[in-house]
Amino acid sequence: MSERLSVFKTYKLFVGGKFPRSESGRVYEVTDSKGNWLANAPLSSRKDARDAVVAARKAFGAWSGATAYNRGQILYRIAEMLEGRRDQFTAEVADAEGLSKAKAAAQVDAAIDRWVWYAGWTDKIAQIVGGTNPVAGPFFNVSSPAPTGVVAVVAPRESSFLGLVSVIAPAIAAGNTVVVVTSEKAPLPALSLGEVLATSDLPGGVVNVLSGRAAEIAPSLAAHQDVNAIDLAGADAELAKELETAAADNLKRVLRPQPVDWSAAPGTGRLLAFLETKTVWHPTGSLGAGGSSY
């Protein structure tokens, strides 16, 4: 009986809920921390980035209009699906970051828990940043948070999975849609995450995953007129400056890179970073003989 040949995994992009190859057909070699070949990853082009923005914009209306409770359910479902593939992600993170199996497993567990944490926040955001405001006059106003729109994310370079989840989850928990550029050196956990998202009830286009060179594809995202905000978490100083300059052309909201301990409690900073406050004004007046007001 002949020896069985292994079936090597073909990693693909995740755009609009589907798994296309790069438009250019290019790939690049991904190696582990010791330089051993792991896989070929798609080398995204600027056309891939534009396609991802189109998908994210198409998905934004329904996702931002979904109830906060529903978004929370879907984020929790992502955690459930990841729990079932814990061993796969542990192996990928160990290879990507040169960690022991135990340390990689701890990173994966923390990432799963982070999805649960943000799932719990979806229906509580309005309580901490919204409210009824005191006004001097015969009227009142109510402020409430609203998602910014399409958010481009340059994923952390040094944390291939926990850092990745820590920048994607808060953006979509708040109702935004995302185009993420993975870590160039360690894209495989991010590309595998796309497979989980595709089977977790998350609508297609809410998260779009591009692998390749951030220096090549991120500038087109930063300059894109239909991208509303950009998170520079994984950009080095030179690239961050270039992207921030490009983003200024249509006044994008920019979250600048800063040192982050991804294993620490996340707080609400990233959860609130891509929200806008919308205020509705309403007159007060008599409701009848009783003179009640509202």
Side-chain angles (χ1 to χ4, degrees):
M1 186 175 183
S2 60
E3 182 178 351
R4 180 181 180 275
L5 298 177
S6 299
V7 178
F8 290 103
K9 182 174 179 177
T10 301
Y11 286 88
K12 297 181 181 179
L13 306 177
F14 183 57
V15 177
K18 299 179 180 179
F19 297 93
R21 290 179 169 83
S22 172
E23 170 271 339
S24 65
R26 300 177 302 169
V27 298
Y28 70 101
E29 291 189 356
V30 178
T31 59
D32 64 15
S33 59
K34 298 179 180 178
N36 299 312
W37 181 87
L38 292 174
N40 290 332
L43 188 59
S44 300
S45 67
R46 288 175 291 181
K47 174 63 165 55
D48 293 316
R50 292 195 297 270
D51 290 345
V53 174
V54 170
R57 176 57 62 191
K58 185 177 180 180
F60 176 70
W63 182 246
S64 61
T67 65
Y69 177 72
N70 181 238
R71 287 200 298 270
Q73 285 182 310
I74 292 173
L75 264 65
Y76 189 84
R77 176 63 173 164
I78 294 171
E80 290 180 337
M81 300 297 289
L82 282 172
E83 189 75 39
R85 297 176 64 166
R86 181 176 177 272
D87 290 346
Q88 174 197 344
F89 280 93
T90 295
E92 289 187 342
V93 171
D95 287 338
E97 301 180 29
L99 300 176
S100 67
K101 184 177 180 180
K103 290 183 177 179
Q107 294 282 304
V108 173
D109 289 345
I112 294 171
D113 293 346
R114 195 136 301 174
W115 282 110
V116 175
W117 195 84
Y118 282 114
W121 267 106
T122 55
D123 59 356
K124 300 173 182 66
I125 300 171
Q127 281 69 45
I128 63 172
V129 293
T132 303
N133 310 307
V135 181
F139 44 81
F140 68 94
N141 67 44
V142 178
S143 295
S144 59
T148 298
V150 176
V151 180
V153 176
V154 181
R157 292 170 293 169
E158 74 285 0
S159 183
S160 63
F161 193 55
L162 177 56
L164 174 81
V165 169
S166 298
V167 294
I168 293 177
I172 66 172
N176 299 287
T177 55
V178 169
V179 177
V180 59
V181 182
T182 72
S183 165
E184 179 179 348
K185 182 176 180 294
L188 302 188
L191 296 175
S192 290
L193 178 63
E195 298 170 4
V196 172
L197 299 179
T199 55
S200 61
D201 302 327
L202 187 75
V206 173
V207 175
N208 304 274
V209 182
L210 304 174
S211 57
R213 302 188 181 101
E216 178 181 352
I217 54 181
S220 65
L221 291 171
H224 200 298
Q225 297 294 302
D226 208 22
V227 171
N228 304 108
I230 186 165
D231 184 344
L232 304 178
D236 59 30
E238 183 178 352
L239 180 59
K241 182 178 180 181
E242 178 185 353
L243 298 181
E244 191 167 354
T245 300
D249 191 46
N250 72 331
L251 301 178
K252 287 181 178 61
R253 181 169 295 195
V254 177
L255 186 59
R256 295 175 175 86
Q258 53 191 310
V260 178
D261 178 4
W262 298 111
S263 63
T268 58
R270 275 194 151 76
L271 189 67
L272 306 181
F274 301 119
L275 286 173
E276 299 174 355
T277 300
K278 295 189 176 182
T279 301
V280 176
W281 295 72
H282 201 293
T284 59
S286 174
L287 290 178
S292 301
S293 64
Y294 59 92

